[in-house]
Amino acid sequence: MSPVVALITCLINAIVISGSPPIVLWHGMGDSCCNPLSLGSLIKFIKTQLPDSYILSLRIGSNIVEDTSNGFFMNANHQIDYACKLLNADTNLSQGYHAIGFSQGGQFLRAVAQRCPSPPMLNLISVGGQHQGVFGFPRCPGDNETICNYIRDLLHFGAYESFVQNHLVQAEYWHDPHKENTYRQASIFLADINQERTFNEAYKTNLLKIRNLILVKFLRDGMVTPSESEHFGFYEENNTTKIIPLRESSLYLKDLLGLKAMDEQSRIKFLESDTDHLQFTDQWFIDNIIPYLRD
């Protein structure tokens, strides 16, 4: 590397480090990286609060159409691999970044934290992420009703069939409390990142490296069933009338992911929005999320 190039690189890194850390976004089901009505608008809004921030909105695919489609039909593990390559290739992120995942993007970015510790993730903000999965598909986002009806048919056919698991994203975090053993054996994504198949020490070690885990639950959520999954809660086995909260779950009590240790250090923040799924206000975002993006 020539002295001139080295100097320019140092200056660029100094600029990035001197401002607020970079921010990485991952959209939810039926959305895309740059939809002007969702993340595209949010990026502009964040920049009104953090004018010098570098923001990367992950696009999984070569264009927006592929990105949207892949949110339904690209194996989640392959999506995580794809995202990790994007993050590693972006030199603006080399000193660390804050991550915000929306809906399924929340559990996807947690998988990134557990599997790809470099570049380092700082704060992980999960906005409506389903960390214990879902057991229901009540409503479809945007103009995707045809696709969603197809998904319902596949989930009804057999969420834990190998073909469905490998080709339908929503099946990969489908969690049937009446079929816990089948779920643990067949789930190729959620059961893995939640340490329910085999214990992976690296997952715990890597997740403990983040500063804070911010979990946002929507109190009037009409899309996520159960909404308590957004705070790592889920149904009791064979009982959909009772929710087991995070602190009473085996995942927490056995500290399989380091969540108990993080909680005891006040590094897990349980936030709420008294709205439907992802329907937060600008002021709510300023009050609750922006503070975790400043430093």
Side-chain angles (χ1 to χ4, degrees):
M1 181 183 295
S2 71
V4 174
V5 173
L7 177 60
I8 292 173
T9 301
C10 287
L11 288 173
I12 292 174
N13 288 337
I15 292 171
V16 172
I17 295 171
S18 63
S20 58
I23 301 167
V24 172
L25 310 177
W26 198 331
H27 62 81
M29 176 184 72
D31 203 355
S32 70
C33 65
C34 317
N35 186 336
L37 299 178
S38 56
L39 289 201
S41 175
L42 182 65
I43 290 169
K44 291 180 181 179
F45 176 72
I46 292 174
K47 284 188 171 293
T48 67
Q49 304 299 311
L50 304 169
D52 299 323
S53 58
Y54 173 81
I55 302 176
L56 171 66
S57 188
L58 292 172
R59 186 185 72 194
I60 309 300
S62 59
N63 54 57
I64 291 177
V65 174
E66 283 189 8
D67 187 26
T68 305
S69 176
N70 286 337
F72 292 108
F73 302 119
M74 183 179 182
N75 185 303
N77 294 306
H78 298 165
Q79 291 193 58
I80 305 307
D81 291 342
Y82 192 101
C84 289
K85 291 176 182 176
L86 292 177
L87 298 174
N88 272 297
D90 193 330
T91 57
N92 290 310
L93 307 178
S94 62
Q95 302 300 310
Y97 64 94
H98 296 311
I100 313 178
F102 299 90
S103 199
Q104 69 182 21
Q107 59 262 36
F108 290 176
L109 278 171
R110 175 163 67 86
V112 168
Q114 293 174 204
R115 295 176 179 176
C116 312
S118 180
M121 187 182 292
L122 304 176
N123 288 329
L124 170 55
I125 304 169
S126 170
V127 184
Q130 304 97 43
H131 294 278
Q132 285 284 12
V134 298
F135 185 54
F137 201 75
R139 186 160 58 81
C140 190
D143 301 320
N144 299 288
E145 192 60 40
T146 300
I147 293 176
C148 289
N149 285 334
Y150 176 64
I151 290 173
R152 290 188 184 96
D153 288 342
L154 286 175
L155 292 172
H156 178 73
F157 167 74
Y160 299 125
E161 295 292 330
S162 178
F163 173 83
V164 178
Q165 278 290 308
N166 282 285
H167 295 91
L168 181 61
V169 172
Q170 288 67 43
E172 294 162 32
Y173 55 86
W174 184 261
H175 188 169
D176 187 337
H178 303 292
K179 299 179 180 178
E180 285 286 352
N181 288 334
T182 303
Y183 154 73
R184 294 188 187 101
Q185 294 170 7
S187 173
I188 65 171
F189 176 68
L190 186 68
D192 176 68
I193 65 168
N194 282 359
Q195 305 275 45
E196 295 176 282
R197 302 185 73 173
T198 58
F199 178 73
N200 187 328
E201 183 67 42
Y203 285 0
K204 179 177 180 178
T205 299
N206 291 338
L207 191 60
L208 281 168
K209 292 177 181 178
I210 68 172
R211 293 178 185 171
N212 298 288
L213 173 61
I214 298 94
L215 300 171
V216 178
K217 174 185 172 185
F218 292 92
L219 298 181
R220 305 185 194 182
D221 204 310
M223 184 172 291
V224 175
T225 305
S227 61
E228 288 83 0
S229 182
E230 298 167 348
H231 276 176
F232 267 98
F234 202 68
Y235 296 123
E236 182 180 54
E237 185 170 1
N238 292 316
N239 185 0
T240 56
T241 65
K242 181 178 180 181
I243 294 290
I244 304 298
L246 170 62
R247 293 186 177 109
E248 296 176 19
S249 68
S250 60
L251 177 66
Y252 183 94
L253 296 174
K254 295 178 182 178
D255 211 14
L256 298 175
L257 280 176
L259 297 176
K260 186 173 186 289
M262 293 178 69
D263 190 30
E264 290 172 348
Q265 296 166 3
S266 299
R267 292 165 55 200
I268 301 182
K269 316 298 181 181
F270 298 95
L271 305 184
E272 296 177 341
S273 174
D274 191 18
T275 57
D276 199 355
H277 193 64
L278 302 185
Q279 300 303 303
F280 50 83
T281 65
D282 290 351
Q283 191 59 52
W284 181 92
F285 196 88
I286 291 171
D287 294 341
N288 292 278
I289 303 301
I290 290 295
Y292 292 106
L293 304 177
R294 293 193 182 280
D295 303 307

